[in-house]
Amino acid sequence: MKLDLLEVMISLTSAMTIMIKLCPFYILVLSEGTDELRLSNGTGPCSGRVEVKHEEQWGTVCDGDWTIKDAEVVCKQLQCGFAVKALNRAPFGQGTGPTWLYRVDCRGDESALWNCSHTGWGSFTCPHYFDIGVICSGYGGYRLANGNTTCSGRVELLHGGTWGALCDYLWDLPAANILCQQLDCGVALLIPSGQSFGEGNGSVWNATFSCQKNGSLLRDCLVRALGQDECPAGKEARVVCSGEQWKGLRRELKNFLEEKYGLRGHMWSQALSFGYCNRSQGWCPGGRLVNGTKCSGIVEVRHGDTWGRLCHSHWNLQAASVLCHQLNCGYAKSIQMEDSFVDGNGPIWRDAFHCKGTESCLWDCVQVTLGNPTCSAKEVATVTCSGLAESLRLSGGESRCGGRVEISLHGVWSRVLDDDWDIRDAHVVCRQLQCGTAEKAYYLPKSERGMGLVGLRNVQCTGNETQLMLCNTSHYHTVPTGVSEDVGVICSGESLCERYRMFLGISPAHVVLWCSRQMRLVNGTHRCAGRVELYHHGIWGTICDDNWDLSDANVVCKQLRCGHAIEAFVSAHYGEGSGQIWLDDVNCTGAESDLWTCPSRAWGQHNCQHKEDAGVLCSDFLALRLVNGNDCAGRVEVFYNGTWGSVCSNRMSLLTAATMCKHLGCGDGGIAMDFTYGRGSGPTWLDHIECIEQHSSLWQCQSDPWDPQSCNNRAEETHITCTGNQKCILMGGEHECSGRVEMWHQGSWGTICDDAWDMADANVVCRQLGCGSAVSALREAAFGEGTGPIWLEKVHCKGTELSLWDCPAKPLFGKNCDHKEDAAVNCSGSTRLSLPVVLCIILGTLLCLVLAILAGQIRRARTQQTGGFLRTGMKCLLYMVPNVQLAGEAVGMGD
């Protein structure tokens, strides 16, 4: 009877046709009688603007209260899985034609959208900027096929009623890990390569998943929606999950990591869940807001295991905006204390963060703590963030109001491409970011073009829209074949900078000038010394030294929060700049709030060359040295306020001494010595310096405020001998044995010019660092451009020297090289073990023990004999360390 009833139902619904049309615009259509439903202009067949065909004409759906229940009916009707997002206000562009449905109200279990409650077909004509859209999961389920267990195999998805293998070019451990968790299979252990688990013989679904947050669902990671196509060999997604036995092991490993390495909470969770062997996986140290709301309150940062507040006097809007971004709370609206904020307790740190405002994490900013004054509990730092995570950003620029345009779709930052990008489009970007008006709309140069996913293409704005998504656009959330047409914007910044102006007391007449221009010091060994450069109309340029004096330099130092001027340098003291010379004949009184309000020639008018570039040395310039010994042993002196002075040894720990050695490039070990390297004669600047393990620089350590008479007598001066002597490091590489070559000289890290750089030079570097032999000697900033000075050029090593310092070389004076010529190396291997490697070894050991236990149980069950466990377990462990002797027997990888 059930079969007969089913046949009758099928015959009665024979008029229903289901058509899935995958065209270049990814339109999915389902027809039921004479009415049809489709999604248009989306990022795939299961996302887009909701359109209905009624009376042979396509139209849109308007709803100011479109909910996830309504979207659920659409996704189910189109066989697109379940609803991920219900979107309002034309998120996929404005449609055309009539408004067929208005104020739809679904329970969620209807078979078609028009079966939901609504006001009637065509009852209301709605402006198309209210058109609604949906994003569906695109698939109905997932499973692992052809594996040895239920928790390993080839990933298959159910889409449109059909199971098919997942083809994902970007399949990685984060996505695999979330899938394992959803299948109740623990965590992902590895992604097998090649043809593991065989090839599927059914459908192939092409999709891209990018998972960034632990604990999310796989559907939330969907970047590019499903389409059916062939899959190149080896691109089918595969995974081996840990299975149920992982849960107990995970708890044991968690306890071990917390006890041994001090990793807490999200730190060990990320280490275990997002690929514990991935060296590039970083953890952003703690920052939080307390005694307010999620996105406003008193600022606290963590040193070690202790949370503490910051002083308002060391806090500014740039740093506050970075923290808001780090907390996914948008940008900083205010840093004034609100009545609703409740006073906190605990220590008050003296950290000052000097941020550009474009950093992703507060600890990426330059941090200076040493010598800063303290404050009372009534003077702590606060921030009120905008509260909304930004869906649009400008990256790679000099501020958050200039750079490459990027848009966030489905939680993934993507590129914006355009063939006709103009100032009207740029105005919309600046308005959405509250960055004033657009000064420039441009295409990125070839060297800065991206290779990632494309979110929008062919943007056409009138210039009056409030958001870029409200302009007419095309959505291409796919991997592009080319790399052309990335677009950028430079905004005036005045909306954002009005808040800066109010905080800093800048007069309203100067706000536009202050906000659209920036200043920096270049080629010094610290942020408070160097060649003066100005950012104007999107270009960095220098200042001519005609009439340049201490009054001018004072304005520069004050504007950069670097104290007062110690010296005004002329004749390109910090090297010659390049490009534009912006100002000449600057004549400040010293009382001005910013340099460009001083009298001078008009912008760009000068009679100078770059050999006349002006520079400054400010009082907050800091340097560290050891005297009366050698580079790595002696009496400690710091340079502050233009004078070298001693450091007092009260409360000086071995860890603080080691931090000084690390700061000086003398290894990570130090011994505080008694009165060994003579008596000082200048001021005694600091006392009670306390460093912790996380500090990489002396400037980050806590101390008493600056005082030229900090020591009670000269017997309290600090003398140290460093136990290491590492004056060369590699930066920017995938591991510590590859990267840009940087060397310590005159109290600062700098780079090496690649003129004449070859394998002989690279071999010396690799040997000096204990990294084996050189694999390649790289030029032209292969691992990114460095900062600071360029110490050497034309290095000529034989290849047999023990240190780079033993090689003939030419000190770099003048402008023969810049950082795009930084030298780099790839070495054969490392002799040091980092934390990620230690984690891998620990995890591998524990897994081997589990396997050994299982093997022992199986063997006992089969043979009723004992003794197999020890050898099986030990051999598993020894696979990790080949050629180790066990009971007189050589056990290697081949055993």
Side-chain angles (χ1 to χ4, degrees):
M1 282 298 294
K2 291 183 178 179
L3 181 60
D4 293 341
L5 178 61
L6 180 61
E7 290 174 349
V8 171
M9 293 177 63
I10 292 175
S11 64
L12 289 175
T13 58
S14 59
M16 180 187 296
T17 61
I18 298 176
M19 179 182 71
I20 298 178
K21 180 183 178 183
L22 295 175
C23 71
F25 299 101
Y26 295 101
I27 299 174
L28 182 75
V29 183
L30 186 143
S31 170
E32 184 173 355
T34 58
D35 298 323
E36 299 177 8
L37 178 70
R38 71 181 182 186
L39 298 179
S40 295
N41 211 32
T43 61
C46 291
S47 67
R49 182 176 59 249
V50 179
E51 294 187 351
V52 176
K53 186 178 182 181
H54 182 67
E55 295 179 350
E56 299 304 317
Q57 185 177 5
W58 285 102
T60 60
V61 179
C62 176
D63 196 334
D65 189 27
W66 183 250
T67 67
I68 200 72
K69 281 188 177 181
D70 307 325
E72 193 72 41
V73 173
V74 172
C75 296
K76 183 171 59 176
Q77 184 177 351
L78 294 174
Q79 295 190 349
C80 277
F82 41 84
V84 175
K85 288 185 180 179
L87 303 170
N88 295 281
R89 291 184 174 268
F92 297 99
Q94 298 180 28
T96 57
T99 303
W100 279 130
L101 296 178
Y102 177 62
R103 289 191 175 177
V104 179
D105 186 13
C106 302
R107 299 185 307 272
D109 58 357
E110 293 86 351
S111 60
L113 184 63
W114 38 84
N115 292 340
C116 302
S117 171
H118 59 86
T119 59
W121 291 97
S123 64
F124 181 75
T125 301
C126 192
H128 280 295
Y129 53 78
F130 286 110
D131 291 344
I132 55 91
V134 302
I135 298 174
C136 305
S137 66
Y139 55 93
Y142 26 78
R143 68 185 183 188
L144 298 177
N146 212 34
N148 297 324
T149 70
T150 57
C151 291
S152 65
R154 184 178 62 250
V155 181
E156 292 190 350
L157 302 181
L158 178 63
H159 177 55
T162 303
W163 284 101
L166 170 64
C167 185
D168 189 344
Y169 288 77
L170 303 181
W171 185 251
D172 57 9
L173 268 176
N177 182 63
I178 287 178
L179 175 60
C180 291
Q181 291 176 3
Q182 286 188 244
L183 293 175
D184 202 23
C185 283
V187 296
L189 295 182
L190 73 153
I191 297 176
S193 58
Q195 302 298 319
S196 303
F197 309 122
E199 295 186 14
N201 52 14
S203 299
V204 174
W205 297 117
N206 281 271
T208 299
F209 294 89
S210 178
C211 300
Q212 299 178 335
K213 190 180 297 183
N214 190 27
S216 61
L217 299 174
L218 195 64
R219 73 186 188 209
D220 300 328
C221 307
L222 187 62
V223 173
R224 184 177 51 134
L226 296 164
Q228 195 165 14
D229 203 351
E230 295 182 355
C231 191
K235 292 302 181 182
E236 289 183 348
R238 298 167 171 82
V239 64
V240 175
C241 305
S242 61
E244 280 295 318
Q245 70 270 19
W246 170 256
K247 295 180 179 179
L249 185 61
R250 180 184 172 92
R251 284 192 296 269
E252 293 179 15
L253 185 57
K254 166 186 175 293
N255 295 335
F256 176 81
L257 292 176
E258 288 184 348
E259 180 180 347
K260 182 70 176 176
Y261 289 98
L263 298 184
R264 305 290 180 190
H266 72 283
M267 297 175 71
W268 67 260
S269 179
Q270 287 180 343
L272 297 178
S273 300
F274 276 1
Y276 31 78
C277 293
N278 183 0
R279 296 179 59 88
S280 64
Q281 178 67 45
W283 300 306
C284 199
R288 68 183 184 185
L289 300 176
V290 299
N291 299 345
T293 67
K294 174 180 178 291
C295 292
S296 66
I298 295 174
V299 178
E300 286 193 351
V301 298
R302 186 174 60 196
H303 284 287
D305 292 326
T306 305
W307 288 93
R309 293 160 290 169
L310 299 177
C311 292
H312 185 270
S313 57
H314 310 330
W315 188 242
N316 59 28
L317 271 167
Q318 289 100 322
S321 276
V322 172
L323 179 60
C324 290
H325 173 74
Q326 177 182 331
L327 298 176
N328 205 28
C329 285
Y331 59 89
K333 295 174 62 178
S334 169
I335 57 173
Q336 302 302 319
M337 175 67 79
E338 303 287 343
D339 294 337
S340 59
F341 297 162
V342 181
D343 288 344
N345 50 36
I348 298 178
W349 306 127
R350 307 178 190 190
D351 303 326
F353 295 94
H354 301 280
C355 306
K356 292 169 55 179
T358 58
E359 296 86 352
S360 59
C361 177
L362 192 61
W363 300 86
D364 293 336
C365 305
V366 175
Q367 178 196 354
V368 177
T369 304
L370 195 74
N372 288 344
T374 188
C375 61
S376 70
K378 299 291 185 182
E379 302 171 308
V380 295
T382 64
V383 63
T384 300
C385 307
S386 63
L388 297 174
E390 294 180 330
S391 60
L392 184 73
R393 71 182 181 188
L394 301 176
S395 67
E398 298 299 330
S399 74
R400 69 175 294 271
C401 291
R404 180 176 58 252
V405 182
E406 295 181 352
I407 190 166
S408 176
L409 294 178
H410 320 321
V412 177
W413 286 106
S414 308
R415 302 156 59 202
V416 176
L417 305 187
D418 203 309
D419 295 323
D420 190 24
W421 185 250
D422 58 27
I423 199 69
R424 293 174 297 178
D425 308 322
H427 276 312
V428 176
V429 172
C430 296
R431 182 180 298 115
Q432 182 174 347
L433 292 175
Q434 297 192 36
C435 283
T437 58
E439 292 186 343
K440 184 179 180 181
Y442 65 95
Y443 295 102
L444 268 69
K446 186 175 181 180
S447 60
E448 298 178 22
R449 292 173 186 166
M451 288 293 292
L453 296 170
V454 177
L456 292 180
R457 189 183 180 100
N458 299 332
V459 180
Q460 294 181 342
C461 304
T462 65
N464 299 318
E465 295 87 349
T466 57
Q467 297 182 30
L468 195 64
M469 288 291 290
L470 297 180
C471 303
N472 288 325
T473 61
S474 297
H475 303 256
Y476 281 89
H477 218 145
T478 59
V479 179
T481 57
V483 293
S484 62
E485 302 168 347
D486 291 83
V487 298
V489 170
I490 296 175
C491 307
S492 66
E494 59 194 49
S495 300
L496 179 68
C497 288
E498 177 66 21
R499 296 189 287 276
Y500 288 78
R501 182 196 66 77
M502 294 174 63
F503 174 66
L504 294 174
I506 302 173
S507 63
H510 297 152
V511 65
V512 175
L513 292 177
W514 187 87
C515 292
S516 60
R517 296 167 184 158
Q518 298 179 59
M519 182 190 299
R520 68 184 181 187
L521 300 180
V522 177
N523 225 30
T525 58
H526 185 271
R527 70 176 195 90
C528 292
R531 181 177 64 248
V532 183
E533 292 193 352
L534 303 178
Y535 188 71
H536 180 60
H537 287 324
I539 300 173
W540 284 104
T542 62
I543 297 177
C544 182
D545 64 7
D546 293 346
N547 300 319
W548 187 252
D549 59 19
L550 273 178
S551 296
D552 309 320
N554 256 323
V555 175
V556 171
C557 295
K558 181 170 58 176
Q559 187 174 345
L560 293 175
R561 299 175 70 216
C562 284
H564 61 272
I566 298 297
E567 192 160 354
F569 289 107
V570 297
S571 302
H573 177 83
Y574 290 103
E576 297 180 17
S578 60
Q580 186 65 255
I581 297 177
W582 278 127
L583 294 179
D584 190 12
D585 292 327
V586 178
N587 187 20
C588 303
T589 65
E592 293 86 352
S593 58
D594 44 57
L595 189 69
W596 34 84
T597 59
C598 300
S600 70
R601 293 196 187 196
W603 284 86
Q605 294 185 10
H606 62 88
N607 57 0
C608 303
Q609 299 177 16
H610 281 294
K611 65 182 180 180
E612 302 170 80
D613 286 342
V616 300
L617 173 66
C618 304
S619 60
D620 284 358
F621 171 81
L622 301 175
L624 178 68
R625 72 180 182 184
L626 300 177
V627 298
N628 289 354
N630 55 51
D631 283 347
C632 293
R635 188 179 71 251
V636 179
E637 289 192 346
V638 293
F639 187 86
Y640 173 71
N641 200 23
T643 305
W644 286 101
S646 298
V647 171
C648 313
S649 59
N650 294 308
R651 277 196 234 157
M652 179 73 64
S653 67
L654 285 176
L655 182 56
T656 299
T659 303
M660 293 180 180
C661 292
K662 183 163 55 176
H663 185 121
L664 289 166
C666 290
D668 54 5
I671 302 173
M673 308 291 290
D674 290 333
F675 202 68
T676 305
Y677 297 105
R679 182 187 300 267
S681 58
T684 54
W685 278 127
L686 291 168
D687 199 4
H688 299 131
I689 301 176
E690 296 184 62
C691 304
I692 61 176
E693 288 185 4
Q694 286 88 341
H695 292 153
S696 59
S697 162
L698 181 65
W699 315 142
Q700 298 170 358
C701 302
Q702 303 284 328
S703 74
D704 289 348
W706 295 103
D707 183 347
Q709 296 179 343
S710 293
C711 300
N712 293 325
N713 55 69
R714 293 289 174 180
E716 294 180 1
E717 291 178 321
T718 301
H719 303 247
I720 65 171
T721 297
C722 299
T723 58
N725 190 10
Q726 182 180 334
K727 290 285 189 174
C728 180
I729 57 175
L730 302 178
M731 300 294 293
E734 295 180 355
H735 51 79
E736 58 201 8
C737 287
S738 72
R740 179 179 61 253
V741 182
E742 296 200 2
M743 55 193 302
W744 180 267
H745 183 59
Q746 294 182 356
S748 176
W749 288 102
T751 62
I752 298 175
C753 183
D754 64 9
D755 292 352
W757 187 253
D758 59 20
M759 287 293 289
D761 308 321
N763 263 318
V764 173
V765 172
C766 294
R767 184 185 305 110
Q768 181 178 349
L769 295 177
C771 285
S773 59
V775 176
S776 56
L778 305 172
R779 302 185 178 189
E780 298 180 352
F783 289 102
E785 297 183 15
T787 57
I790 301 174
W791 288 127
L792 296 175
E793 66 170 333
K794 296 183 179 177
V795 179
H796 292 289
C797 300
K798 298 176 183 176
T800 58
E801 295 87 349
L802 297 178
S803 165
L804 197 62
W805 303 104
D806 300 328
C807 302
K810 176 183 177 183
L812 184 62
F813 298 106
K815 184 69 178 163
N816 296 327
C817 278
D818 56 34
H819 283 295
K820 66 184 178 184
E821 301 172 81
D822 285 342
V825 300
N826 269 322
C827 304
S828 61
S830 171
T831 58
R832 297 177 287 254
L833 291 179
S834 63
L835 177 58
V837 175
V838 172
L839 291 178
C840 291
I841 294 174
I842 294 169
L843 185 58
T845 302
L846 292 174
L847 288 175
C848 286
L849 288 173
V850 170
L851 294 174
I853 293 170
L854 292 175
Q857 290 174 344
I858 293 171
R859 180 168 294 185
R860 280 194 298 271
R862 289 180 177 177
T863 66
Q864 297 298 313
Q865 294 178 355
T866 59
F869 160 66
L870 179 60
R871 178 161 294 278
T872 303
M874 288 301 293
K875 182 170 286 193
C876 179
L877 292 175
L878 292 170
Y879 280 163
M880 303 174 62
V881 186
N883 300 322
V884 176
Q885 299 292 323
L886 175 63
E889 176 186 0
V891 181
M893 292 298 290
D895 290 343

